[in-house]
Amino acid sequence: MSAAPGSKGKVLLAYSGGLDTSCILVWLIEQGYEVLAYMANVGQEEDFDAAREKALKVGASKVFIEDLRRELVEELVIPTIQANAVYEAVYLLGTSVARPVIARSQVAIAQREGCTHVSHGCTGKGNDQVRFELAYYALDPKLQVIAPWRIPEFYHRFPGRNALLAYAAEKNVPVSQTPSKPWSTDENLFHISYEAGILEDPNVTPPKDMWKLTVDPEEAPNTPERITIEFKAGKPVRVTNEADGTDVSDPLDLFLYLNTVARRNGVGRIDIVENRFIGIKSRGCYETPGGTVLRAAHIDLEGLVLDREVRAYRDEHITPVFGKILYNGLYFSPEGDLITKMVPLTQTNVNGSVRVKLYKGTLSIEGRWSETETLYDMEQSSMD
């Protein structure tokens, strides 16, 4: 028997508009909660108006859609680039970097609306459940967390997609009729990830139509594209492209333009097997177009302008720790706060520009210079 709506409290659900979270929304109402829906715009391709209407139709009392793209770039993406952060040498932390801003906004809305609970639709075998919940607990320990995919009553009732579809039909939840792709994705303006389904066999080659963001490198333009990226204190402040006349300096616009350039040149794909925080190995395919270009340019400039011992200390004590903190969901921990504050201290002298060539899935550095830093002395370095 269903409990009276709202009798168990008010919950803010991280809502995607998809089958899982739509069914979770209805199920939470059925359990006796008043449900408010929350969506974060972190640059994913999404019809937010349609998702709002759907959430309200299936029973949400309110819907909040927050544009977090700028704070994602300025507060997470750029510091990640400054730190040259990476997980297990190859993964550029595309999913991880978005979670702190999403969780922080969710907690702020929950507090403002007087919610007693927050909820998410993360699987019980993935990293995101950890990232979201550690953020919730750090930001407001009084909020109670509902994680349906770890509640036996829920996952026994919905053992697979067909059960969710049947429940959706029973409860008049609108469901897209497009066939489900044999993998799952997570997208933000930094990257898109692909995992599960056919990708769980690490020896299966991803089909060409899986890759959503980047042009197939074999089909990319036959003419190289060249851009110049300027940095101040390790932050990208300007991108120019003489070929098409582009000159951008706003942080969000700059990053979106780098995505555009890298995507059309097939740059930023990787296919890896990684170690999840919860102790399971996982195969993932990722597209991180603009981030791949930006990180390569930043690392190159550091070779020109950064003190040797500062760089060595950062590479040993800050870069791997920052990456692990992001990956494991510890951004709001005391150690996360400490390491985040340390990153800018290593970047004071990272000032200059880098010329980058993009061509058929590759990028190469064609030159770099600085008008303010003088550690490199051409006369001193000369072999003549």
Side-chain angles (χ1 to χ4, degrees), residues 322 325 331 333-345:
F322 191 83
I325 281 171
Y331 183 79
S333 66
E335 64 270 33
D337 183 56
L338 173 65
I339 210 76
T340 300
K341 290 175 179 175
M342 291 176 70
V343 171
L345 300 177

Side-chain angles (χ1 to χ4, degrees), residues 145-158:
V145 178
I146 303 174
W149 287 114
R150 295 205 309 271
I151 298 174
E153 179 186 351
F154 184 87
Y155 64 71
H156 286 316
R157 183 174 179 181
F158 306 109

Side-chain angles (χ1 to χ4, degrees), residues 167-318:
Y167 183 72
E170 176 191 342
K171 300 296 183 178
N172 296 314
V173 176
V175 176
S176 170
Q177 295 302 309
T178 57
S180 176
K181 291 186 176 179
W183 54 76
S184 64
T185 64
D186 178 81
E187 183 181 3
N188 59 56
L189 57 77
F190 193 56
H191 93 150
I192 188 170
S193 65
Y194 310 89
E195 61 182 10
I198 64 170
L199 300 176
E200 290 175 351
D201 181 345
N203 196 34
V204 167
T205 301
K208 283 192 173 186
D209 66 352
M210 181 194 77
W211 304 101
K212 175 182 177 182
L213 300 184
T214 56
V215 170
D216 187 327
E218 296 177 359
E219 299 172 4
N222 293 322
T223 303
E225 188 162 10
R226 291 176 169 88
I227 59 174
T228 300
I229 306 174
E230 180 183 350
F231 293 87
K232 288 184 179 179
K235 297 180 179 181
V237 295
R238 188 182 185 190
V239 173
T240 56
N241 184 335
E242 292 185 5
D244 65 11
T246 297
D247 188 336
V248 290
S249 56
D250 175 80
L252 178 57
D253 292 340
L254 182 154
F255 193 80
L256 292 175
Y257 178 71
L258 286 176
N259 270 343
T260 299
V261 174
R263 288 175 68 167
R264 67 190 179 209
N265 287 283
V267 171
R269 295 182 179 186
I270 62 169
D271 179 346
I272 63 173
V273 175
E274 66 198 72
N275 290 292
R276 287 180 178 169
F277 178 54
I278 61 171
I280 299 173
K281 283 190 180 290
S282 170
R283 191 266 190 96
C285 299
Y286 302 97
E287 292 177 280
T288 315
T292 298
V293 175
L294 201 53
R295 184 174 188 270
H298 177 263
I299 290 174
D300 181 83
L301 181 61
E302 286 189 329
L304 180 71
V305 301
L306 193 58
D307 175 81
R308 179 179 67 181
E309 297 306 319
V310 171
R311 187 175 191 179
Y313 184 88
R314 192 277 316 278
D315 288 350
E316 182 176 354
H317 299 288
I318 297 177

